[in-house]
Amino acid sequence: MSRIMRIGLVGVGDWGRHILRDLNSLGAEVHAVARSEASVSRATAGGAASIVGSAAELPSDCGGYVVASDTVAHLDAVETLLSRGRPIYVEKPLSPDLERIRRLPPDAARLVFTMHKWRYHPGIVELARIARTEEFGPVTGLRCFRMGWENHHDDVDAIWILAPHDMSIALHILGEVPRILNAWRDPTVLGPEGVIVRAGTASGVPFVFEVSSGKPNKHRATVLACRDAVCELDDTHYDRIVIRRRGTLQSGEFEERSVASDMPLKAELAAFLDHLNGGPPPFTALADEMAIIEAIDWIHERAFGSACASPP
């Protein structure tokens, strides 16, 4: 940053406290909204410059705002702050309320961005570079897994928490939000807590992902298939990509390509602060987030509601 930036932070929960930490480490002056005793304690311990009880009470001269409250409360803060005319960075997903997003005023298109941290992960950035440059030939498909045990969010189901990650990864690697073709509920969970989804890009590249809160052992992976090789980033080693050339045996040689181990949350917050100082906008703009929300909304309809819903 070229100068100290005042930032308003809405929410200092389990994730918001990390945002507070990283904003402070980047040299920002953070003014926090914290309501519960636990949140006030986290804000105080994290070095917030001031603590207030609502978004409306945040200083009006903040250069920008970060929203990390409960998912269902994101738009409450956005609607309160939009009139100030400053950029707003909202933790993903923007909201499960599609119609309410559509009713946001026109200024939201240039002021509201969504925090999809995987778009800043060095491993995903490298997979996107491999896809874009066709280092191993044209992309032939993308497969993501994001499964674990239980949903720790009380306000929304696991699909709203997990699926935005993989949709944003597909956007970053493939250059567009894929169109959803079909979705099936995960038989290992009760209710809308897991799905298997088939999608594809406008050019026909298939994308399949699976999210679930019903797997006892956590599994996270992104697999990029190209004509000449398959590349995988998984949660065993997030600092490297495994590359296997097609035509080799399982016991044969493979490449492990090292990537930086930088934390993506700090990188996306640095991008936001740079934007406030005149730099390019951060990922992800409202139009792309709308496409992601529409896709997840349709996934819910297809897997758990009407079988006649029209895909986005």
Side-chain angles (χ1 to χ4, degrees):
M1 290 191 304
S2 60
R3 61 186 176 87
I4 294 177
M5 182 65 65
R6 302 185 87 191
I7 299 296
L9 171 61
V10 181
V12 193
D14 288 339
W15 190 243
R17 65 189 176 94
H18 298 308
I19 293 174
L20 174 58
R21 175 201 64 199
D22 287 352
L23 284 172
N24 279 330
S25 73
L26 291 165
E29 178 185 293
V30 186
H31 300 263
V33 174
R35 297 186 180 91
S36 70
E37 182 178 340
S39 292
V40 170
S41 177
R42 284 188 288 262
T44 301
S50 70
I51 303 171
V52 296
S54 70
E57 298 174 78
L58 286 170
S60 59
D61 61 348
C62 287
Y65 301 91
V66 178
V67 177
S69 54
D70 288 343
T71 301
V72 295
H74 286 172
L75 289 185
D76 294 339
V78 169
E79 290 165 350
T80 297
L81 297 170
L82 262 175
S83 62
R84 301 187 180 190
R86 302 303 304 163
I88 306 171
Y89 215 11
V90 187
E91 182 52 48
K92 65 81 194 163
L94 178 57
S95 173
D97 191 336
L98 183 57
E99 292 307 315
R100 192 174 172 189
I101 296 175
R102 289 170 173 161
R103 292 195 300 269
L104 288 173
D107 279 351
R110 66 179 181 86
L111 293 176
V112 177
F113 304 91
T114 303
M115 300 171 69
H116 288 286
K117 69 176 184 178
W118 286 100
R119 301 193 70 183
Y120 290 90
H121 190 288
I124 297 301
V125 171
E126 175 61 11
L127 289 176
R129 188 201 64 78
I130 289 171
R132 182 179 65 255
T133 61
E134 297 190 352
E135 178 180 353
F136 300 109
V139 173
T140 58
L142 182 67
R143 182 80 162 92
C144 292
F145 304 86
R146 194 163 307 278
M147 296 173 287
W149 185 245
E150 293 300 327
N151 174 20
H152 303 289
H153 296 259
D154 297 329
D155 55 335
V156 291
D157 61 53
I159 298 170
W160 280 112
I161 296 301
L162 300 175
H165 286 311
D166 294 316
M167 294 297 294
S168 68
I169 286 171
L171 167 61
H172 205 74
I173 293 176
L174 302 177
E176 64 183 86
V177 176
R179 181 176 183 268
I180 306 301
L181 302 174
N182 217 329
W184 301 268
R185 64 184 302 158
D186 178 358
T188 70
V189 296
L190 303 175
E193 296 290 331
V195 290
I196 302 168
V197 178
R198 183 171 64 90
T201 67
S203 62
V205 175
F207 170 50
V208 176
F209 70 93
E210 182 173 355
V211 300
S212 175
S213 65
K215 189 175 188 301
N217 295 309
K218 187 179 76 169
H219 179 40
R220 307 279 195 270
T222 300
V223 184
L224 174 66
C226 303
R227 182 192 63 203
D228 303 325
V230 177
C231 313
E232 180 174 8
L233 174 74
D234 67 28
D235 59 356
T236 304
H237 299 291
Y238 272 140
D239 61 349
R240 68 198 69 175
I241 294 171
V242 173
I243 302 170
R244 283 191 181 271
R245 302 273 181 170
R246 295 195 184 275
T248 60
L249 299 175
Q250 176 68 29
S251 59
E253 293 185 359
F254 61 91
E255 175 186 346
E256 287 191 337
R257 181 172 298 181
S258 296
V259 296
S261 57
D262 302 342
M263 291 293 99
L265 173 60
K266 189 172 183 178
E268 67 179 345
L269 290 170
F272 182 60
L273 296 180
D274 181 60
H275 176 56
L276 300 184
N277 278 304
F283 307 127
T284 298
L286 184 60
D288 284 333
E289 180 66 1
M290 276 287 294
I292 290 173
I293 297 297
E294 288 172 348
I296 297 174
D297 188 68
W298 187 82
I299 288 169
H300 274 88
E301 286 294 326
R302 182 61 175 172
F304 304 102
S306 170
C308 299
S310 298

